[in-house]
Amino acid sequence: MTIVQTDSAVSPKVKAFLENFFRLSDEPSAHEEYSQQFIDGPGLHFQIGPMKAVDTRKDVHAWRVKAWQPPIISRNHQIDDVFVKGDEQLMLRGRVTYGKDDGSEGSATCGAWMVFAPGEELKIQSYTVWVTPEQK
């Protein structure tokens, strides 16, 4: 995982959260740690690409397990830009490269909107990602 550039308004706390979040996202066995980055209660919204949005941490965990099933064997996120509104709302732009079990590789550009729940500890309340597969 690489964060290439961030808005100068991104706090060190938020940058550290993002680095950890995308490290977990790229780690095939970190299902529980990944899902723990989200609130567990009312107001949770999680949607990546065309999937049906889910609203429980249990469903985030289930999606995560399914997303790491074959043919996907590796992922590497590169975050090119992070823009903030306060410290609670972020827009991200980047790409993900993924390896498949047949030895091939794919990639996609992505944009995301991430909203943190109120409180001292950073927990994601809403996470929506738009994905555009890159054509070879």
PDB file of all heavy atoms in Angstrom, residues 101-132:
ATOM      1  N   ASP A 101      -4.953 -16.332  -9.301  1.00  0.00           N
ATOM      2  CA  ASP A 101      -4.325 -17.643  -9.108  1.00  0.00           C
ATOM      3  C   ASP A 101      -3.816 -18.278 -10.396  1.00  0.00           C
ATOM      4  O   ASP A 101      -3.059 -19.239 -10.353  1.00  0.00           O
ATOM      5  CB  ASP A 101      -5.250 -18.599  -8.347  1.00  0.00           C
ATOM      6  CG  ASP A 101      -6.593 -18.821  -9.019  1.00  0.00           C
ATOM      7  OD1 ASP A 101      -6.818 -18.328 -10.148  1.00  0.00           O
ATOM      8  OD2 ASP A 101      -7.441 -19.490  -8.393  1.00  0.00           O
ATOM      9  N   ASP A 102      -4.171 -17.739 -11.563  1.00  0.00           N
ATOM     10  CA  ASP A 102      -3.636 -18.262 -12.828  1.00  0.00           C
ATOM     11  C   ASP A 102      -2.362 -17.527 -13.247  1.00  0.00           C
ATOM     12  O   ASP A 102      -1.841 -17.725 -14.343  1.00  0.00           O
ATOM     13  CB  ASP A 102      -4.681 -18.191 -13.940  1.00  0.00           C
ATOM     14  CG  ASP A 102      -5.071 -16.773 -14.334  1.00  0.00           C
ATOM     15  OD1 ASP A 102      -4.517 -15.796 -13.766  1.00  0.00           O
ATOM     16  OD2 ASP A 102      -5.936 -16.625 -15.215  1.00  0.00           O
ATOM     17  N   GLY A 103      -1.868 -16.626 -12.379  1.00  0.00           N
ATOM     18  CA  GLY A 103      -0.651 -15.888 -12.671  1.00  0.00           C
ATOM     19  C   GLY A 103      -0.875 -14.554 -13.362  1.00  0.00           C
ATOM     20  O   GLY A 103       0.051 -13.767 -13.514  1.00  0.00           O
ATOM     21  N   SER A 104      -2.092 -14.279 -13.765  1.00  0.00           N
ATOM     22  CA  SER A 104      -2.378 -13.007 -14.432  1.00  0.00           C
ATOM     23  C   SER A 104      -2.596 -11.911 -13.392  1.00  0.00           C
ATOM     24  O   SER A 104      -2.706 -12.174 -12.184  1.00  0.00           O
ATOM     25  CB  SER A 104      -3.602 -13.127 -15.346  1.00  0.00           C
ATOM     26  OG  SER A 104      -4.775 -13.375 -14.586  1.00  0.00           O
ATOM     27  N   GLU A 105      -2.658 -10.698 -13.868  1.00  0.00           N
ATOM     28  CA  GLU A 105      -2.833  -9.541 -12.996  1.00  0.00           C
ATOM     29  C   GLU A 105      -3.891  -8.622 -13.592  1.00  0.00           C
ATOM     30  O   GLU A 105      -4.027  -8.539 -14.806  1.00  0.00           O
ATOM     31  CB  GLU A 105      -1.490  -8.799 -12.889  1.00  0.00           C
ATOM     32  CG  GLU A 105      -1.372  -7.891 -11.712  1.00  0.00           C
ATOM     33  CD  GLU A 105       0.035  -7.340 -11.559  1.00  0.00           C
ATOM     34  OE1 GLU A 105       0.397  -6.416 -12.320  1.00  0.00           O
ATOM     35  OE2 GLU A 105       0.758  -7.829 -10.678  1.00  0.00           O
ATOM     36  N   GLY A 106      -4.618  -7.949 -12.752  1.00  0.00           N
ATOM     37  CA  GLY A 106      -5.589  -6.964 -13.186  1.00  0.00           C
ATOM     38  C   GLY A 106      -5.435  -5.695 -12.373  1.00  0.00           C
ATOM     39  O   GLY A 106      -4.717  -5.672 -11.364  1.00  0.00           O
ATOM     40  N   SER A 107      -6.090  -4.644 -12.812  1.00  0.00           N
ATOM     41  CA  SER A 107      -6.034  -3.400 -12.054  1.00  0.00           C
ATOM     42  C   SER A 107      -7.300  -2.592 -12.309  1.00  0.00           C
ATOM     43  O   SER A 107      -8.023  -2.821 -13.277  1.00  0.00           O
ATOM     44  CB  SER A 107      -4.791  -2.587 -12.416  1.00  0.00           C
ATOM     45  OG  SER A 107      -4.804  -2.269 -13.789  1.00  0.00           O
ATOM     46  N   ALA A 108      -7.535  -1.656 -11.414  1.00  0.00           N
ATOM     47  CA  ALA A 108      -8.705  -0.786 -11.531  1.00  0.00           C
ATOM     48  C   ALA A 108      -8.376   0.558 -10.900  1.00  0.00           C
ATOM     49  O   ALA A 108      -7.600   0.626  -9.943  1.00  0.00           O
ATOM     50  CB  ALA A 108      -9.907  -1.411 -10.818  1.00  0.00           C
ATOM     51  N   THR A 109      -8.951   1.601 -11.460  1.00  0.00           N
ATOM     52  CA  THR A 109      -8.881   2.893 -10.800  1.00  0.00           C
ATOM     53  C   THR A 109     -10.075   2.965  -9.863  1.00  0.00           C
ATOM     54  O   THR A 109     -11.097   2.318 -10.079  1.00  0.00           O
ATOM     55  CB  THR A 109      -8.910   4.068 -11.798  1.00  0.00           C
ATOM     56  OG1 THR A 109     -10.096   3.965 -12.593  1.00  0.00           O
ATOM     57  CG2 THR A 109      -7.689   4.049 -12.698  1.00  0.00           C
ATOM     58  N   CYS A 110      -9.931   3.754  -8.806  1.00  0.00           N
ATOM     59  CA  CYS A 110     -11.021   3.842  -7.849  1.00  0.00           C
ATOM     60  C   CYS A 110     -11.060   5.211  -7.188  1.00  0.00           C
ATOM     61  O   CYS A 110     -10.051   5.900  -7.080  1.00  0.00           O
ATOM     62  CB  CYS A 110     -10.938   2.742  -6.790  1.00  0.00           C
ATOM     63  SG  CYS A 110      -9.309   2.323  -6.228  1.00  0.00           S
ATOM     64  N   GLY A 111     -12.240   5.568  -6.796  1.00  0.00           N
ATOM     65  CA  GLY A 111     -12.485   6.760  -6.006  1.00  0.00           C
ATOM     66  C   GLY A 111     -13.332   6.340  -4.828  1.00  0.00           C
ATOM     67  O   GLY A 111     -14.130   5.408  -4.933  1.00  0.00           O
ATOM     68  N   ALA A 112     -13.149   6.986  -3.693  1.00  0.00           N
ATOM     69  CA  ALA A 112     -13.895   6.580  -2.502  1.00  0.00           C
ATOM     70  C   ALA A 112     -14.272   7.793  -1.666  1.00  0.00           C
ATOM     71  O   ALA A 112     -13.577   8.807  -1.661  1.00  0.00           O
ATOM     72  CB  ALA A 112     -13.066   5.616  -1.662  1.00  0.00           C
ATOM     73  N   TRP A 113     -15.374   7.642  -0.968  1.00  0.00           N
ATOM     74  CA  TRP A 113     -15.818   8.613   0.023  1.00  0.00           C
ATOM     75  C   TRP A 113     -15.844   7.872   1.345  1.00  0.00           C
ATOM     76  O   TRP A 113     -16.500   6.836   1.484  1.00  0.00           O
ATOM     77  CB  TRP A 113     -17.201   9.135  -0.337  1.00  0.00           C
ATOM     78  CG  TRP A 113     -17.760  10.136   0.630  1.00  0.00           C
ATOM     79  CD1 TRP A 113     -17.111  11.194   1.206  1.00  0.00           C
ATOM     80  CD2 TRP A 113     -19.091  10.168   1.145  1.00  0.00           C
ATOM     81  NE1 TRP A 113     -17.958  11.886   2.027  1.00  0.00           N
ATOM     82  CE2 TRP A 113     -19.194  11.286   2.011  1.00  0.00           C
ATOM     83  CE3 TRP A 113     -20.213   9.383   0.942  1.00  0.00           C
ATOM     84  CZ2 TRP A 113     -20.356  11.615   2.681  1.00  0.00           C
ATOM     85  CZ3 TRP A 113     -21.377   9.719   1.607  1.00  0.00           C
ATOM     86  CH2 TRP A 113     -21.443  10.822   2.463  1.00  0.00           C
ATOM     87  N   MET A 114     -15.092   8.375   2.324  1.00  0.00           N
ATOM     88  CA  MET A 114     -14.992   7.757   3.640  1.00  0.00           C
ATOM     89  C   MET A 114     -15.408   8.787   4.686  1.00  0.00           C
ATOM     90  O   MET A 114     -14.919   9.913   4.669  1.00  0.00           O
ATOM     91  CB  MET A 114     -13.537   7.313   3.881  1.00  0.00           C
ATOM     92  CG  MET A 114     -13.281   6.638   5.208  1.00  0.00           C
ATOM     93  SD  MET A 114     -11.514   6.216   5.442  1.00  0.00           S
ATOM     94  CE  MET A 114     -11.340   4.821   4.336  1.00  0.00           C
ATOM     95  N   VAL A 115     -16.304   8.384   5.577  1.00  0.00           N
ATOM     96  CA  VAL A 115     -16.765   9.255   6.654  1.00  0.00           C
ATOM     97  C   VAL A 115     -16.502   8.545   7.975  1.00  0.00           C
ATOM     98  O   VAL A 115     -16.889   7.388   8.155  1.00  0.00           O
ATOM     99  CB  VAL A 115     -18.273   9.577   6.518  1.00  0.00           C
ATOM    100  CG1 VAL A 115     -18.740  10.469   7.662  1.00  0.00           C
ATOM    101  CG2 VAL A 115     -18.579  10.209   5.169  1.00  0.00           C
ATOM    102  N   PHE A 116     -15.855   9.264   8.887  1.00  0.00           N
ATOM    103  CA  PHE A 116     -15.592   8.716  10.213  1.00  0.00           C
ATOM    104  C   PHE A 116     -16.739   9.035  11.153  1.00  0.00           C
ATOM    105  O   PHE A 116     -17.362  10.096  11.069  1.00  0.00           O
ATOM    106  CB  PHE A 116     -14.295   9.291  10.792  1.00  0.00           C
ATOM    107  CG  PHE A 116     -13.067   8.876  10.039  1.00  0.00           C
ATOM    108  CD1 PHE A 116     -12.319   9.804   9.338  1.00  0.00           C
ATOM    109  CD2 PHE A 116     -12.655   7.554  10.017  1.00  0.00           C
ATOM    110  CE1 PHE A 116     -11.184   9.435   8.646  1.00  0.00           C
ATOM    111  CE2 PHE A 116     -11.525   7.163   9.323  1.00  0.00           C
ATOM    112  CZ  PHE A 116     -10.781   8.111   8.636  1.00  0.00           C
ATOM    113  N   ALA A 117     -16.984   8.122  12.083  1.00  0.00           N
ATOM    114  CA  ALA A 117     -17.980   8.344  13.130  1.00  0.00           C
ATOM    115  C   ALA A 117     -17.418   9.360  14.125  1.00  0.00           C
ATOM    116  O   ALA A 117     -16.207   9.453  14.301  1.00  0.00           O
ATOM    117  CB  ALA A 117     -18.289   7.030  13.837  1.00  0.00           C
ATOM    118  N   PRO A 118     -18.285  10.121  14.776  1.00  0.00           N
ATOM    119  CA  PRO A 118     -17.804  11.045  15.812  1.00  0.00           C
ATOM    120  C   PRO A 118     -17.103  10.277  16.932  1.00  0.00           C
ATOM    121  O   PRO A 118     -17.468   9.152  17.237  1.00  0.00           O
ATOM    122  CB  PRO A 118     -19.091  11.706  16.328  1.00  0.00           C
ATOM    123  CG  PRO A 118     -20.135  11.434  15.312  1.00  0.00           C
ATOM    124  CD  PRO A 118     -19.736  10.167  14.611  1.00  0.00           C
ATOM    125  N   GLY A 119     -16.101  10.886  17.527  1.00  0.00           N
ATOM    126  CA  GLY A 119     -15.397  10.263  18.645  1.00  0.00           C
ATOM    127  C   GLY A 119     -13.901  10.387  18.496  1.00  0.00           C
ATOM    128  O   GLY A 119     -13.391  10.768  17.445  1.00  0.00           O
ATOM    129  N   GLU A 120     -13.194  10.055  19.559  1.00  0.00           N
ATOM    130  CA  GLU A 120     -11.732  10.151  19.577  1.00  0.00           C
ATOM    131  C   GLU A 120     -11.081   9.094  18.697  1.00  0.00           C
ATOM    132  O   GLU A 120     -10.132   9.370  17.991  1.00  0.00           O
ATOM    133  CB  GLU A 120     -11.214  10.034  21.016  1.00  0.00           C
ATOM    134  CG  GLU A 120     -11.435  11.281  21.838  1.00  0.00           C
ATOM    135  CD  GLU A 120     -10.699  12.481  21.268  1.00  0.00           C
ATOM    136  OE1 GLU A 120      -9.490  12.382  21.011  1.00  0.00           O
ATOM    137  OE2 GLU A 120     -11.352  13.521  21.074  1.00  0.00           O
ATOM    138  N   GLU A 121     -11.580   7.855  18.794  1.00  0.00           N
ATOM    139  CA  GLU A 121     -11.005   6.764  18.000  1.00  0.00           C
ATOM    140  C   GLU A 121     -11.593   6.801  16.601  1.00  0.00           C
ATOM    141  O   GLU A 121     -12.804   6.919  16.429  1.00  0.00           O
ATOM    142  CB  GLU A 121     -11.308   5.417  18.660  1.00  0.00           C
ATOM    143  CG  GLU A 121     -10.686   4.255  17.938  1.00  0.00           C
ATOM    144  CD  GLU A 121     -11.006   2.917  18.577  1.00  0.00           C
ATOM    145  OE1 GLU A 121     -11.895   2.851  19.444  1.00  0.00           O
ATOM    146  OE2 GLU A 121     -10.370   1.935  18.183  1.00  0.00           O
ATOM    147  N   LEU A 122     -10.739   6.727  15.592  1.00  0.00           N
ATOM    148  CA  LEU A 122     -11.220   6.733  14.214  1.00  0.00           C
ATOM    149  C   LEU A 122     -11.837   5.389  13.867  1.00  0.00           C
ATOM    150  O   LEU A 122     -11.187   4.352  13.935  1.00  0.00           O
ATOM    151  CB  LEU A 122     -10.082   7.060  13.249  1.00  0.00           C
ATOM    152  CG  LEU A 122      -9.516   8.465  13.336  1.00  0.00           C
ATOM    153  CD1 LEU A 122      -8.366   8.646  12.345  1.00  0.00           C
ATOM    154  CD2 LEU A 122     -10.584   9.522  13.098  1.00  0.00           C
ATOM    155  N   LYS A 123     -13.116   5.432  13.525  1.00  0.00           N
ATOM    156  CA  LYS A 123     -13.859   4.277  13.031  1.00  0.00           C
ATOM    157  C   LYS A 123     -14.663   4.754  11.834  1.00  0.00           C
ATOM    158  O   LYS A 123     -15.264   5.838  11.860  1.00  0.00           O
ATOM    159  CB  LYS A 123     -14.828   3.720  14.087  1.00  0.00           C
ATOM    160  CG  LYS A 123     -14.166   3.093  15.283  1.00  0.00           C
ATOM    161  CD  LYS A 123     -13.668   1.708  14.958  1.00  0.00           C
ATOM    162  CE  LYS A 123     -13.131   1.038  16.217  1.00  0.00           C
ATOM    163  NZ  LYS A 123     -12.603  -0.284  15.942  1.00  0.00           N
ATOM    164  N   ILE A 124     -14.707   3.941  10.796  1.00  0.00           N
ATOM    165  CA  ILE A 124     -15.438   4.314   9.583  1.00  0.00           C
ATOM    166  C   ILE A 124     -16.928   4.089   9.795  1.00  0.00           C
ATOM    167  O   ILE A 124     -17.353   3.004  10.196  1.00  0.00           O
ATOM    168  CB  ILE A 124     -14.945   3.506   8.374  1.00  0.00           C
ATOM    169  CG1 ILE A 124     -13.459   3.750   8.137  1.00  0.00           C
ATOM    170  CG2 ILE A 124     -15.764   3.855   7.128  1.00  0.00           C
ATOM    171  CD1 ILE A 124     -12.824   2.807   7.131  1.00  0.00           C
ATOM    172  N   GLN A 125     -17.696   5.115   9.507  1.00  0.00           N
ATOM    173  CA  GLN A 125     -19.157   5.007   9.554  1.00  0.00           C
ATOM    174  C   GLN A 125     -19.709   4.730   8.162  1.00  0.00           C
ATOM    175  O   GLN A 125     -20.639   3.951   8.003  1.00  0.00           O
ATOM    176  CB  GLN A 125     -19.764   6.299  10.102  1.00  0.00           C
ATOM    177  CG  GLN A 125     -21.272   6.261  10.184  1.00  0.00           C
ATOM    178  CD  GLN A 125     -21.821   7.486  10.900  1.00  0.00           C
ATOM    179  OE1 GLN A 125     -21.159   8.082  11.741  1.00  0.00           O
ATOM    180  NE2 GLN A 125     -23.032   7.850  10.566  1.00  0.00           N
ATOM    181  N   SER A 126     -19.136   5.391   7.151  1.00  0.00           N
ATOM    182  CA  SER A 126     -19.617   5.222   5.780  1.00  0.00           C
ATOM    183  C   SER A 126     -18.420   5.108   4.844  1.00  0.00           C
ATOM    184  O   SER A 126     -17.477   5.894   4.933  1.00  0.00           O
ATOM    185  CB  SER A 126     -20.480   6.422   5.384  1.00  0.00           C
ATOM    186  OG  SER A 126     -20.973   6.256   4.067  1.00  0.00           O
ATOM    187  N   TYR A 127     -18.486   4.117   3.951  1.00  0.00           N
ATOM    188  CA  TYR A 127     -17.405   3.896   2.988  1.00  0.00           C
ATOM    189  C   TYR A 127     -18.024   3.446   1.677  1.00  0.00           C
ATOM    190  O   TYR A 127     -18.644   2.383   1.609  1.00  0.00           O
ATOM    191  CB  TYR A 127     -16.447   2.837   3.528  1.00  0.00           C
ATOM    192  CG  TYR A 127     -15.192   2.630   2.709  1.00  0.00           C
ATOM    193  CD1 TYR A 127     -14.357   3.684   2.359  1.00  0.00           C
ATOM    194  CD2 TYR A 127     -14.814   1.349   2.306  1.00  0.00           C
ATOM    195  CE1 TYR A 127     -13.195   3.484   1.638  1.00  0.00           C
ATOM    196  CE2 TYR A 127     -13.647   1.136   1.596  1.00  0.00           C
ATOM    197  CZ  TYR A 127     -12.842   2.206   1.260  1.00  0.00           C
ATOM    198  OH  TYR A 127     -11.678   2.001   0.549  1.00  0.00           O
ATOM    199  N   THR A 128     -17.902   4.292   0.671  1.00  0.00           N
ATOM    200  CA  THR A 128     -18.420   4.002  -0.662  1.00  0.00           C
ATOM    201  C   THR A 128     -17.269   4.113  -1.646  1.00  0.00           C
ATOM    202  O   THR A 128     -16.545   5.113  -1.646  1.00  0.00           O
ATOM    203  CB  THR A 128     -19.535   4.995  -1.058  1.00  0.00           C
ATOM    204  OG1 THR A 128     -20.558   4.963  -0.061  1.00  0.00           O
ATOM    205  CG2 THR A 128     -20.124   4.645  -2.410  1.00  0.00           C
ATOM    206  N   VAL A 129     -17.096   3.077  -2.481  1.00  0.00           N
ATOM    207  CA  VAL A 129     -16.002   3.049  -3.449  1.00  0.00           C
ATOM    208  C   VAL A 129     -16.563   2.851  -4.846  1.00  0.00           C
ATOM    209  O   VAL A 129     -17.410   1.979  -5.061  1.00  0.00           O
ATOM    210  CB  VAL A 129     -15.004   1.906  -3.129  1.00  0.00           C
ATOM    211  CG1 VAL A 129     -13.839   1.920  -4.115  1.00  0.00           C
ATOM    212  CG2 VAL A 129     -14.502   2.002  -1.697  1.00  0.00           C
ATOM    213  N   TRP A 130     -16.092   3.661  -5.769  1.00  0.00           N
ATOM    214  CA  TRP A 130     -16.427   3.525  -7.183  1.00  0.00           C
ATOM    215  C   TRP A 130     -15.213   2.927  -7.879  1.00  0.00           C
ATOM    216  O   TRP A 130     -14.089   3.408  -7.693  1.00  0.00           O
ATOM    217  CB  TRP A 130     -16.778   4.881  -7.793  1.00  0.00           C
ATOM    218  CG  TRP A 130     -18.005   5.473  -7.165  1.00  0.00           C
ATOM    219  CD1 TRP A 130     -19.296   5.306  -7.582  1.00  0.00           C
ATOM    220  CD2 TRP A 130     -18.070   6.313  -6.012  1.00  0.00           C
ATOM    221  NE1 TRP A 130     -20.155   5.981  -6.750  1.00  0.00           N
ATOM    222  CE2 TRP A 130     -19.425   6.621  -5.767  1.00  0.00           C
ATOM    223  CE3 TRP A 130     -17.111   6.847  -5.139  1.00  0.00           C
ATOM    224  CZ2 TRP A 130     -19.844   7.425  -4.718  1.00  0.00           C
ATOM    225  CZ3 TRP A 130     -17.532   7.626  -4.081  1.00  0.00           C
ATOM    226  CH2 TRP A 130     -18.879   7.926  -3.889  1.00  0.00           C
ATOM    227  N   VAL A 131     -15.424   1.882  -8.650  1.00  0.00           N
ATOM    228  CA  VAL A 131     -14.335   1.130  -9.261  1.00  0.00           C
ATOM    229  C   VAL A 131     -14.516   1.074 -10.778  1.00  0.00           C
ATOM    230  O   VAL A 131     -15.607   0.783 -11.258  1.00  0.00           O
ATOM    231  CB  VAL A 131     -14.308  -0.315  -8.707  1.00  0.00           C
ATOM    232  CG1 VAL A 131     -13.200  -1.129  -9.326  1.00  0.00           C
ATOM    233  CG2 VAL A 131     -14.207  -0.319  -7.191  1.00  0.00           C
ATOM    234  N   THR A 132     -13.427   1.344 -11.512  1.00  0.00           N
ATOM    235  CA  THR A 132     -13.427   1.237 -12.962  1.00  0.00           C
ATOM    236  C   THR A 132     -12.274   0.329 -13.374  1.00  0.00           C
ATOM    237  O   THR A 132     -11.105   0.730 -13.284  1.00  0.00           O
ATOM    238  CB  THR A 132     -13.261   2.612 -13.649  1.00  0.00           C
ATOM    239  OG1 THR A 132     -14.293   3.481 -13.191  1.00  0.00           O
ATOM    240  CG2 THR A 132     -13.324   2.482 -15.150  1.00  0.00           C
TER     241      THR A 132
END
